[in-house]
Amino acid sequence: MTVRLALVGAPNAGKSTLFNGLTGGRAKVANYPGVTVETRAGRFRTPAGAEVELIDLPGVYGLSARSMDQRVALDVIAGKLDAEAPPDALLVVIDAAQLRTHLHTVLQIRALGRPMLVILNMIDLADRDGVKLDVAALETRLGVPVVTSRATRAPGREALLARLDAELPNLTAPARSSGSLDLKALQAESRDMASDVILFEPPMNRITRAVDGVVLNPLAGPFVLAAILFLMFQAVYAWANAPMDLIDAGAAALGDFARSTIGVDWLASLVADGIIAGVGSVVIFLPQIVILFTFILMLEASGYMARAAFLMDDLMLRVGLNGRAFIPLLSSFACAIPGMMSARTIESERDRLTTILIAPLMTCSARLPVYTLIVGAFIPRDQVGVFNLQGIVMFGLYLTGVVSAVTVAFVLKRTVTKGQAQPLIMELPTYKLPAVKDFAIELWRRAAAFLKRAGTIILGASVVLWFLASYPASATTLRESFAGRIGAVLEFVLAPIGFNLEISIALVPGMAAREVAIGALGTVYAVQASEENTAGLAATLQSAWSLPTALAFLAWYVFAPQCLATLATARREMNSWAWTGFMFGYLVALAYVAAGATYWVATWAGL
Amino acid sequence: MTLHELEIGRAAWVAAIAEDDPDLAAKLREIGFAENDEVEVMHAGPLGATGVCVRLNRTLIALRAGEAAAIRVRGARASG
C-alpha cells in the first residue's frame, strides 16, 4: 500500500528542497514566490518501510486561488482534479523563523479538515538567528503532529521520517478545527497561539538586513542589479572560451578520424559531414549554456530574484506589467519555455498573457550559438574605447530584444490585453546559500535537456538534411539537390531581405529549434565543400556571405519564432490557438521587416 | 497614519486593514499582515518608484504605496 502525501505551504518555506531531499528527485528549487509551477510527484520509503508517494505543490498563503499555480495547489488538496484522488494526508511546511507571520496559513489549511502533519522547516536557520520555539506547545494548540526539519541534510530529515512512521497509521482529520474560514478570526487565533509558542524572537536576520541595505538601496540597488546582469552576460562569453575551443578541436579531430577510417565514401560523409559537423557545431555551446543557467539558478535559490522583481517593478509598471513579470522574462534569457511556465505565478490573466507573448523576444540560450558564430565571423575584434566591437554588437542584439519586448508589451497592454494595473505584494525571502546537491540536480537537468536535444532533434535533422543536400546522386550543385529544390521556394521569399539559398535551406530544419540552423549550415557547407573542409564553418561563411547578409541574418534571429517547443508551450499555457497564431505572426513579421531593413540599410551604407 | 506614511527606520503596529477593497484586504492578510503585528518601512523603491519594502515581524514584504496605504498603523517609534 502506498500512502499519498502532499507538501503544502507558503512559497519559500522550502517545500521543493524537502521534496528533493526526501525523494532524491527533481522538482525545481527556487527561492522566489511560487516557482514550483507544476505538481511533481516522487517516491520514497520511510525507515520502517512504508511506501510514500510525495506530491510537491505550488506555494499558497491561504485558500483563495489568485494565480493559476495556486489554483492547481488548492485543487489537488481538495481532490478536485479529475484524474486524482485527494492525497491521504497533507505535510504542511512552514518556515520556522517566520512562524508568527505564517502560522495563520497552517490554521487555514487545518480548517479544510484534512489529515495533516506540520513541518517547521529550516529549523537550523531559525536556531542560528536565535529563535526559540516550544514545539510541544504548538502541537497541543494545533491538535496535529508537529515536527522540526532541516530539509537540506539527511540528519535534518531524520526526525521527520521517524515521526511519519509513528503517525502514518493514525493520521486523521484534526478534531479541533472550528471549520471557520474567516481570515481575520484565524489570524487572531494564530497570533494568540504564536505568543505561547514563540519563547524568544530576535530581530530580523542580520545578514539579510545588511545585504539589503546595499542591494535594495534606492541609489545603489539598480546599479547592483545592472552589474549582476552585466557580469552574467560577460561570464557567458569570457569564461566559456577555453572549454568551447576544446570541444571544437575534439569535434574536428573526430571528424577527421571518421573520414580516414571509414572506408565507404557515403558513410564517411554521413558520419563526418552529417552527424559530427551537425551535432558538434551545437554541442560546442554547452559551456555557455551551463554558465547562463548557473547564474539564473543562483539568483533564484539565493533569494535575489524577488529583489530584482521589486527593483524592476516601477519600470514594468510603466509598460503596464508588474514587477513579478521580470522573473519569467529573466528566465527567458536562458529559455522561453521555463519562462512562460513561471508566468503562472502572475495573478492577472491579461498580464500573464502579455508576459508569455513577449517572452520569445528575450534572447534565449539557443540564439547564443547563432550570434556567437556570426558575430565571431563577421565583426572585427576592434577595440572601441574600453569595449570590444564584438561585445558591443552582441550587447546590441540583446538590447534590441529587450527594447522590442518592452515596446510590444506597451502596445499590447494598451490594445488587446488592456486591464487594471495589478498590485504588487510579494515576500522577499531571507538570503541563503543554495544547497549544493539541490543546485547540482537542477543544473544537470538543464544541461541534460540541451544535450538531449542535440542528440535527438539536432542529430535527426542533421542526418535528414545531409541526405537531402547530398542526393540525388546526379546533383552536382547544391541547387540541384533535394534540399536545394526545397530551399529555392523559400529563397524566393527570403531573397529580398538578403538571404541566400544556403540560409533558406538551413532555416527549414531551423524551425524545429534555433540552434539547429547552425548545425544545418555546417552540414550544407560541409557537403558542398567535399572532403577538404578544414577551415571551419566561420571561415566558410566569411567567404560565402556578404556583411549585409550576415547582419540581416542576426536581425532575423532577434525576432524569428523558430522553436517548435516554445510554440507548443505557448499554446498550452495560453490555451488558445488564436493567441499562439498571433504570437507567431507578429514575430515573423518583425523578423522579416527587421532583417530586410538591416540588409538594405547596410547595403546602402556600403558595408 | 498609514503604513506608507511611516518614515523609514520607524517601527509601528498595525492598527487596522482597510476593508473598502475587500480583495486587497484579503491579499494583505493572506501574506501575513494582521492587527497588532509589528511593521517597519525598511527601504524605499529605486529612483522615485512607489514601492516600499516593509518588515512585518521577521518577514520582508515588498508592496506599492497604494497597497501600503490600506494598512493603518499606530504607535510609531524609532526602531530598536
Side-chain angles (χ1 to χ4, degrees):
Chain A
M1 242 293 282
T2 305
V3 191
R4 289 179 76 240
L5 303 176
L7 290 165
V8 198
N12 306 312
K15 293 183 299 297
S16 295
T17 311
L18 187 57
F19 178 88
N20 273 355
L22 287 172
T23 62
R26 320 202 153 149
K28 182 158 162 48
V29 180
N31 209 357
Y32 58 79
V35 75
T36 321
V37 289
E38 279 175 312
T39 65
R40 241 182 279 267
R43 285 174 173 277
F44 69 95
R45 193 189 287 266
T46 64
E51 280 288 340
V52 176
E53 187 192 348
L54 189 65
I55 307 159
D56 185 24
L57 294 179
V60 287
Y61 286 108
L63 300 178
S64 53
R66 301 175 190 285
S67 62
M68 203 172 146
D69 60 342
Q70 290 174 341
R71 205 168 309 135
V72 170
L74 296 172
D75 283 354
V76 170
I77 297 172
K80 277 193 204 150
L81 284 191
D82 300 343
E84 282 186 82
D88 297 316
L90 308 177
L91 303 181
V92 183
V93 186
I94 173 169
D95 181 349
Q98 322 271 355
L99 189 64
R100 189 180 297 275
T101 312
H102 289 323
L103 186 57
H104 69 114
T105 301
V106 178
L107 294 193
Q108 289 182 79
I109 294 168
R110 189 183 66 166
L112 291 174
R114 306 274 313 145
M116 65 191 268
L117 183 147
V118 173
I119 300 168
L120 293 173
N121 197 23
M122 301 194 271
I123 193 70
D124 53 318
L125 298 178
D127 280 345
R128 207 173 57 194
D129 280 4
V131 177
K132 299 262 183 301
L133 303 174
D134 185 345
V135 179
L138 182 61
E139 191 163 301
T140 314
R141 295 284 309 258
L142 281 172
V144 299
V146 178
V147 64
T148 60
S149 126
R150 179 184 183 187
T152 49
R153 297 287 162 98
R157 298 187 296 262
E158 268 169 19
L160 164 63
L161 287 169
R163 193 61 191 271
L164 261 185
D165 271 329
E167 299 291 342
L168 274 181
N170 49 9
L171 263 186
T172 49
R176 297 171 65 107
S177 170
S178 58
S180 163
L181 288 173
D182 179 57
L183 198 46
K184 198 169 165 182
L186 285 176
Q187 277 187 318
E189 191 186 348
S190 96
R191 293 312 192 256
D192 179 52
M193 236 181 239
S195 305
D196 279 2
V197 169
I198 301 173
L199 304 177
F200 182 70
E201 192 177 35
M204 220 184 75
N205 182 281
R206 294 229 308 272
I207 299 167
T208 297
R209 217 174 160 138
V211 173
D212 278 343
V214 179
V215 161
L216 293 182
N217 181 294
L219 294 174
F223 284 101
V224 173
L225 176 58
I228 289 175
L229 295 181
F230 180 80
L231 179 70
M232 173 166 120
F233 290 115
Q234 181 69 26
V236 165
Y237 296 102
W239 302 353
N241 271 340
M244 287 174 74
D245 287 347
L246 220 62
I247 297 175
D248 196 24
L254 203 62
D256 289 343
F257 176 75
R259 238 176 249 120
S260 59
T261 42
I262 300 175
V264 192
D265 267 359
W266 70 266
L267 190 61
S269 168
L270 169 64
V271 172
D273 302 332
I275 296 173
I276 296 174
V279 176
S281 51
V282 172
V283 170
I284 188 173
F285 298 100
L286 182 66
Q288 289 188 329
I289 281 154
V290 166
I291 291 172
L292 189 64
F293 274 118
T294 300
F295 269 84
I296 290 196
L297 288 172
M298 293 288 274
L299 291 181
E300 286 177 354
S302 67
Y304 184 77
M305 202 66 122
R307 268 92 180 164
F310 171 66
L311 290 171
M312 293 299 292
D313 181 58
D314 200 52
L315 280 178
M316 303 297 282
L317 190 63
R318 276 177 217 192
V319 174
L321 291 172
N322 177 302
R324 268 178 204 270
F326 179 71
I327 297 168
L329 293 178
L330 187 64
S331 306
S332 298
F333 278 111
C335 176
I337 293 169
M340 286 175 173
M341 291 187 350
S342 60
R344 287 179 197 172
T345 59
I346 296 174
E347 289 171 8
S348 148
E349 254 323 275
R350 282 162 182 281
D351 283 8
R352 194 175 71 85
L353 197 64
T354 312
T355 308
I356 291 173
L357 288 172
I358 62 172
L361 285 171
M362 300 293 137
T363 300
C364 69
S365 53
R367 265 174 269 201
L368 264 181
V370 182
Y371 288 179
T372 310
L373 176 74
I374 307 296
V375 169
F378 287 91
I379 308 295
R381 291 186 83 90
D382 297 349
Q383 287 297 121
V384 180
V386 289
F387 299 106
N388 172 298
L389 189 57
Q390 292 189 342
I392 294 174
V393 171
M394 201 67 106
F395 182 73
L397 292 167
Y398 274 87
L399 194 66
T400 310
V402 172
V403 170
S404 313
V406 167
T407 314
V408 170
F410 187 87
V411 172
L412 289 178
K413 282 297 290 177
R414 271 153 195 78
T415 52
V416 285
T417 58
K418 218 183 285 183
Q420 279 276 306
Q422 294 298 307
L424 176 85
I425 304 174
M426 180 174 60
E427 186 177 338
L428 304 182
T430 305
Y431 286 110
K432 43 185 141 333
L433 288 174
V436 177
K437 198 178 162 197
D438 257 346
F439 182 78
I441 289 175
E442 295 301 322
L443 190 59
W444 169 243
R445 279 181 56 207
R446 309 304 194 290
F450 174 76
L451 286 176
K452 194 178 158 207
R453 262 151 61 105
T456 52
I457 301 178
I458 297 170
L459 176 68
S462 297
V463 170
V464 170
L465 192 71
W466 169 85
F467 172 78
L468 291 176
S470 306
Y471 291 91
S474 60
T476 49
T477 63
L478 182 64
R479 197 166 283 281
E480 292 167 19
S481 69
F482 292 129
R485 293 175 206 176
I486 299 168
V489 179
L490 259 184
E491 191 193 10
F492 178 73
V493 184
L494 296 176
I497 61 169
F499 288 7
N500 58 25
L501 179 66
E502 287 82 2
I503 298 179
S504 306
I505 294 173
L507 286 183
V508 175
M511 263 313 297
R514 293 183 173 88
E515 67 272 36
V516 175
I518 291 301
L521 283 172
T523 302
V524 168
Y525 281 107
V527 169
Q528 268 184 311
S530 72
E531 306 92 57
E532 288 305 314
N533 182 30
T534 47
L537 185 55
T540 310
L541 294 183
Q542 275 170 355
S543 56
W545 293 9
S546 68
L547 182 56
T549 292
L551 294 177
F553 191 69
L554 286 175
W556 172 269
Y557 259 87
V558 171
F559 301 102
Q562 297 186 115
C563 178
L564 287 180
T566 299
L567 292 172
T569 305
R571 147 84 191 98
R572 194 184 68 207
E573 295 296 314
M574 301 193 286
N575 195 24
S576 156
W577 282 108
W579 279 115
T580 312
F582 171 77
M583 185 174 104
F584 183 79
Y586 99 79
L587 288 170
V588 168
L590 280 179
Y592 195 81
V593 170
T598 306
Y599 179 72
W600 288 107
V601 169
T603 305
W604 172 78
L607 291 176
Chain B
M1 77 195 292
T2 67
L3 178 57
H4 111 276
E5 291 162 340
L6 200 60
E7 278 170 54
I8 290 182
R10 289 175 77 85
W13 283 279
V14 175
I17 295 171
E19 301 284 345
D20 32 301
D21 180 349
D23 193 49
L24 176 61
K27 257 181 209 174
L28 290 168
R29 286 190 187 279
E30 281 200 350
I31 205 158
F33 288 98
E35 286 78 5
N36 302 320
D37 276 358
E38 195 187 38
V39 286
E40 176 186 352
V41 177
M42 305 291 290
H43 312 277
L47 306 168
T50 65
V52 283
C53 187
V54 175
R55 175 175 66 79
L56 164 67
N57 304 315
R58 305 188 79 246
T59 309
L60 263 185
I61 293 173
L63 25 69
R64 294 201 193 116
E67 283 95 65
I71 299 170
R72 285 233 321 281
V73 299
R74 62 178 162 77
R77 67 195 191 286
S79 170

